[in-house]
Amino acid sequence: MGGKLSLIASELSPRMGSDVKISKADLVGGAHAKEIRALLDQRGVLLFRGIAPEDRELRAIARTLGDLRIGGVKRGADGKVLNEGEEGVLKVSLDEKVNPDYARFLIGNHLWHMDGTYEEIPPLATLFTPFKLSKTGGDTMFANTYAAFEDLPGEEKAAFEKLNVVHMMQAGLFPAKRNCTVEEFAVWASYPPRSYPLVWHHRSGRKSLVLSTSAAYVEDMHPAESHDLLQRLIAHATQDKYVYRHKWQMGDLVMWDNTGAMHRVLPFDRESGREFHRCTLNGEEPITAAA
Ligand code: OGA
Ligand code: MN
């Protein structure tokens, strides 16, 4: 039913995000799964208003699109895998009572980042739906790292394609909590660093910048130059023209492409109980440079 019809979508901003009109039944049934995957790749963020999926529906929608992540990938200091969710649904909240294992990592969500840059293959995409909103703040912003690469001058593109960047959890979390304890820092630092190319040659043939607060330093570059370059690139990639800012309504379902976008949440009241339910799709291709 409806499988042959094409999706009705309109742009949320010129270079980032589309608002897609589709019924919940069609989403859950996967009627347009292929088209949705293609549109997500092109547009970085997809918004479906008025869906209000229950957890089981969120899982079902996720499964029509890819490999739903079940269980955690992060490990605690004791080596045990942290509980990131229930059967694939993670509760995103700063409240340790809502998510005891995971809440303390979420302060990093306030800074521009990609998810899972401590993993060999970062997640493909996220499905995100509000459970409780904060009355103030808490918009989520998305920046298109394909477009940011595309617009660079040719000589910079060529130079950046040769660079590798080391990502570390402490680089992502320390700026979000400068007054951390030594113990907190030790937990962040216990996650192994990962080296990724700065420019990702996707299997699709498209190229994107691999940027995130977790980008600690450029390999084989003086630390000062590396710092300045990474700051400059994050500033470049997060200019208004590459960004869509989402103001949440209850019922929204948003999907973001974690391979060609960064995201961040704007400050909100910690006491607001802001909570989202999230499904993560496992990554399907490692970050690779030009052959
Ligand atoms: C995340 C994240 C942003 C938000 O769940 O990875 O960055 O708006 N969330 O809560
Ligand atoms: Mn995130």
Side-chain angles (χ1 to χ4, degrees):
M1 218 179 59
K4 297 228 167 53
L5 297 174
S6 61
L7 287 174
I8 300 170
S10 55
E11 292 184 356
L12 292 164
S13 77
R15 301 183 79 179
M16 191 55 158
S18 289
D19 181 344
V20 184
K21 299 279 175 261
I22 182 173
S23 71
K24 176 146 93 177
D26 276 355
L27 264 181
V28 172
H32 294 274
K34 268 215 176 91
E35 265 179 284
I36 290 172
R37 276 285 300 253
L39 197 61
L40 183 61
D41 192 54
Q42 280 165 34
R43 301 293 305 162
V45 178
L46 301 181
L47 166 64
F48 306 86
R49 284 226 131 115
I51 302 294
E54 290 175 19
D55 285 353
R56 65 184 165 78
E57 294 166 330
L58 191 62
R59 285 185 201 100
I61 296 167
R63 287 194 163 107
T64 69
L65 298 170
D67 179 25
L68 174 61
R69 174 169 297 184
I70 303 286
V73 291
K74 283 197 179 74
R75 284 172 189 281
D78 57 4
K80 274 204 300 229
V81 174
L82 303 181
N83 178 18
E84 288 189 40
E86 284 144 43
E87 292 172 57
V89 177
L90 168 67
K91 291 179 177 146
V92 173
S93 162
L94 291 176
D95 186 344
E96 307 234 339
K97 289 197 285 295
V98 172
N99 196 329
D101 276 358
Y102 199 70
R104 68 200 140 106
F105 290 102
L106 296 179
I107 50 167
N109 288 354
H110 286 293
L111 303 170
W112 284 112
H113 67 284
M114 274 173 69
D115 292 334
T117 47
Y118 43 84
E119 299 171 35
E120 191 180 344
I121 301 184
L124 172 75
T126 294
L127 290 80
F128 212 53
T129 189
F131 185 77
K132 182 157 190 238
L133 291 172
S134 170
K135 284 202 184 69
T136 55
D139 295 358
T140 308
M141 296 171 84
F142 302 92
N144 187 332
T145 50
Y146 284 112
F149 179 76
E150 224 167 81
D151 287 359
L152 289 170
E155 65 276 18
E156 289 204 332
K157 281 186 181 148
F160 294 161
E161 295 209 42
K162 299 194 184 83
L163 300 179
N164 288 303
V165 175
V166 174
H167 290 252
M168 299 171 118
M169 190 185 282
Q170 50 102 330
L173 294 193
F174 182 55
K177 196 170 185 190
R178 298 280 180 173
N179 61 348
C180 68
T181 63
V182 172
E183 290 74 22
E184 281 173 313
F185 195 90
V187 169
W188 305 335
S190 73
Y191 287 84
R194 282 274 170 213
S195 175
Y196 297 134
L198 174 58
V199 179
W200 187 344
H201 284 232
H202 298 251
R203 284 200 293 240
S204 63
R206 298 171 71 212
K207 298 175 194 177
S208 64
L209 284 169
V210 180
L211 291 172
S212 178
T213 38
S214 64
Y217 62 90
V218 181
E219 282 179 5
D220 305 319
M221 188 179 277
H222 189 282
E225 282 172 15
S226 152
H227 175 264
D228 289 356
L229 176 59
L230 290 171
Q231 295 249 307
R232 172 161 80 81
L233 286 178
I234 295 239
H236 163 72
T238 57
Q239 295 174 80
D240 286 350
K241 61 184 169 185
Y242 305 126
V243 169
Y244 167 63
R245 173 175 170 170
H246 186 60
K247 200 159 181 47
W248 293 97
Q249 293 176 12
M250 290 306 290
D252 287 351
L253 169 63
V254 163
M255 297 173 192
W256 73 78
D257 171 12
N258 189 55
T259 73
M262 286 190 283
H263 60 280
R264 76 182 304 181
V265 57
L266 294 178
F268 58 89
D269 176 10
R270 271 194 93 101
E271 304 305 312
S272 66
R274 184 183 190 272
E275 180 180 333
F276 281 69
H277 288 198
R278 125 170 212 164
C279 284
T280 305
L281 299 181
N282 285 317
E284 296 178 358
E285 64 172 296
I287 303 178
T288 46

